[in-house]
Amino acid sequence: MVLNILIVILFLRLSEFSVTSESMSNEDDFTKAKDDFIASWGALGTSWGISRTMAQIHALLMVTPDPMSTDEVMEELHISRGNAHTNLKDLVGWGLIRIIVKKGERKEFFEAEKDVWKTFTIVLKERKRREIEPAINVLQDCSARTKNCKTVEGKAFNDQMKDLEDFARFASSMGEKIALLSYGPAMKIAAKVFR
Amino acid sequence: MVLNILIVILFLRLSEFSVTSESMSNEDDFTKAKDDFIASWGALGTSWGISRTMAQIHALLMVTPDPMSTDEVMEELHISRGNAHTNLKDLVGWGLIRIIVKKGERKEFFEAEKDVWKTFTIVLKERKRREIEPAINVLQDCSARTKNCKTVEGKAFNDQMKDLEDFARFASSMGEKIALLSYGPAMKIAAKVFR
DNA sequence: CCAAACTTTCAGTAATTACTGAATAAACCA
DNA sequence: TGGTTTATTCAGTAATTACTGAAAGTTTGG
């Protein structure tokens, strides 16, 4: 009995150092890497202006092959039902995850878009809608209201508004065009232009 | 006397409706538009993940031809010295504004980069450095640590990490290349590609 | 129509982030 | 050097944002 325990302890110690020799270690690498990815993605999220939890849920779903229920997300990330619910629905609103209904199951499941290019184009479109378009409205308004200004200051302001508006419109249209491309063509263009 | 007052009142009323007839109205349009721009830019800023005050200061300096001192910024935006100081220095750190020293004056003045394309390339470079590069590090690490995983889940995770890393590197290098262009060439490329 | 399963909302609270104002430090000048 | 101007820091506080947990709402199957 004591010998068995010793063997188990030895086995556990060894497994900390062996990377390729047996299955438990691989499993463990995966689980740890997954948890690290979720944690790091959450931290990064805050620097992109999205909440930690939302980024974590997105990360979790991106690396989970099967759709997950709200309860599974809650359990995995140790968050409340309300929090999980709100953020899942926000992610659906962004189009980054979708609702899956399984037959025979009453609850909703969620799965992330896993294709990286598709995810990118979704973010592009949403940011255009949420960030660039409101800016264009502001700039257009400020430009229009100072069109007839005669003072040097007024003219300079009007010019600056017009420059900003032009650029915002350009960025908006570029975003739109890029989002229409699929991965292959996009790479071709990039390769051609920046060869 | 009463007649004078009546005339003044009439004049003031009229001036609310006349847009091009006299100088005070233009001046006023400009001041109001400027204040609206600063307020709106501040509000937009929060949706881009930067603080309201920082966006407001940037907006103010973008539309002010002459360099401003900390005190002028404080007064214009009704903010404290500490707040103004910290945000001005952060903007300098981003490279979006620069410090100007006037001869004979001991205090520092600040002026914004007003060229829209230059501002854009600065933001591109900084976001690459602050947002994409840390992400690449995380992805690279997670990918390396699961290289030898044998399970289906582990392999799927590893693939996803690699895809994300590849894309992040691609985005990083595109950002770099775009930031190297100046406005003219950038427009030419855009026109050629998306004609 | 009821009860169970599940979803949504939201008031209260926690955590985070931003700001103030005053003290301290640094730079400069006579 | 001491006095003056300007810059910086930071403890305390305010404002904002995120989260919880429970109650209310909805849908579905019997």
Side-chain angles (χ1 to χ4, degrees):
Chain A
M1 183 53 183
V2 170
L3 185 62
N4 276 344
I5 290 171
L6 282 176
I7 288 169
V8 166
I9 289 171
L10 185 63
F11 181 78
L12 288 172
R13 295 259 165 227
L14 275 175
S15 74
E16 286 174 17
F17 299 99
S18 69
V19 177
T20 53
S21 49
E22 28 63 42
S23 62
M24 192 52 201
S25 169
N26 271 346
E27 180 56 27
D28 224 44
D29 281 351
F30 162 61
T31 308
K32 278 189 198 146
K34 180 179 150 183
D35 288 352
D36 281 1
F37 171 64
I38 292 168
S40 306
W41 208 246
L44 285 171
T46 58
S47 88
W48 309 334
I50 74 167
S51 90
R52 194 187 321 285
T53 306
M54 196 166 142
Q56 282 178 344
I57 295 178
H58 186 225
L60 173 61
L61 290 176
M62 279 209 298
V63 299
T64 304
D66 298 321
M68 295 180 85
S69 66
T70 303
D71 293 75
E72 286 167 331
V73 172
M74 286 166 61
E75 196 189 341
E76 183 84 23
L77 302 178
H78 303 99
I79 58 176
S80 73
R81 182 171 303 284
N83 195 10
H85 174 81
T86 308
N87 281 294
L88 281 165
K89 286 297 154 102
D90 282 356
L91 283 165
V92 171
W94 269 82
L96 293 171
I97 67 175
R98 47 183 162 265
I99 299 169
I100 299 288
V101 251
K102 294 187 183 178
K103 47 190 163 190
E105 293 261 26
R106 270 165 76 177
K107 46 172 172 271
E108 290 181 326
F109 289 77
F110 301 89
E111 106 188 329
E113 170 58 59
K114 299 212 175 47
D115 183 285
V116 177
W117 177 258
K118 276 189 194 156
T119 302
F120 171 69
T121 61
I122 290 167
V123 171
L124 215 57
K125 275 183 259 182
E126 283 297 309
R127 288 181 86 121
K128 170 178 172 299
R129 193 172 70 75
R130 296 171 191 232
E131 297 171 8
I132 304 185
E133 277 164 16
I136 289 175
N137 292 336
V138 169
L139 295 165
Q140 189 172 13
D141 179 56
C142 289
S143 163
R145 284 162 57 193
T146 54
K147 199 163 32 189
N148 298 313
C149 281
K150 296 285 184 291
T151 59
V152 177
E153 275 194 319
K155 278 181 182 175
F157 176 81
N158 184 255
D159 282 350
Q160 184 72 15
M161 292 300 105
K162 282 196 293 196
D163 284 356
L164 282 165
E165 188 189 339
D166 285 350
F167 180 76
R169 284 189 193 282
F170 167 71
S172 179
S173 109
M174 285 300 283
E176 202 165 80
K177 281 163 181 166
I178 291 168
L180 283 174
L181 297 172
S182 41
Y183 184 70
M187 289 304 119
K188 265 189 196 154
I189 287 175
K192 203 171 66 184
V193 171
F194 294 104
R195 139 183 41 106
Chain B
M1 181 54 181
V2 169
L3 185 62
N4 277 343
I5 290 170
L6 280 176
I7 288 169
V8 166
I9 288 170
L10 184 64
F11 180 78
L12 288 172
R13 295 257 164 229
L14 276 174
S15 74
E16 288 175 15
F17 298 101
S18 70
V19 177
T20 54
S21 49
E22 30 60 41
S23 63
M24 192 52 201
S25 168
N26 270 347
E27 181 54 28
D28 224 43
D29 281 351
F30 162 60
T31 308
K32 277 190 198 146
K34 180 179 150 183
D35 288 352
D36 280 2
F37 171 64
I38 291 168
S40 306
W41 208 247
L44 285 170
T46 59
S47 88
W48 309 334
I50 72 168
S51 90
R52 194 186 321 285
T53 306
M54 195 167 144
Q56 282 178 346
I57 294 179
H58 186 224
L60 172 61
L61 291 176
M62 280 208 297
V63 300
T64 304
D66 298 321
M68 295 179 86
S69 67
T70 304
D71 293 76
E72 286 167 332
V73 171
M74 287 167 60
E75 197 190 340
E76 182 82 24
L77 302 178
H78 303 99
I79 58 177
S80 72
R81 181 171 304 282
N83 195 10
H85 174 82
T86 308
N87 281 294
L88 282 165
K89 286 298 154 102
D90 282 357
L91 283 165
V92 170
W94 270 82
L96 293 170
I97 68 176
R98 45 182 165 265
I99 299 170
I100 300 287
V101 250
K102 294 187 184 177
K103 46 190 163 192
E105 292 261 25
R106 273 166 70 180
K107 41 172 176 270
E108 289 181 328
F109 290 78
F110 301 89
E111 102 186 334
E113 171 56 60
K114 299 213 175 48
D115 183 287
V116 178
W117 177 257
K118 276 189 195 157
T119 303
F120 170 70
T121 62
I122 290 166
V123 171
L124 214 57
K125 276 182 258 182
E126 283 298 308
R127 288 182 85 123
K128 170 179 172 299
R129 194 172 69 74
R130 296 170 191 233
E131 297 172 6
I132 304 187
E133 277 164 16
I136 289 175
N137 292 336
V138 169
L139 295 165
Q140 189 172 9
D141 179 54
C142 289
S143 162
R145 284 163 57 193
T146 53
K147 199 163 32 189
N148 299 312
C149 281
K150 296 285 184 292
T151 59
V152 177
E153 275 194 321
K155 279 182 180 175
F157 177 81
N158 184 255
D159 282 351
Q160 184 71 17
M161 292 301 104
K162 282 196 293 194
D163 285 356
L164 283 166
E165 189 189 339
D166 285 350
F167 180 76
R169 286 189 192 283
F170 167 72
S172 178
S173 108
M174 284 301 282
E176 201 165 83
K177 281 163 182 168
I178 291 169
L180 283 174
L181 297 172
S182 41
Y183 184 69
M187 288 304 118
K188 264 189 197 153
I189 288 175
K192 201 171 68 183
V193 170
F194 295 105
R195 139 182 39 107

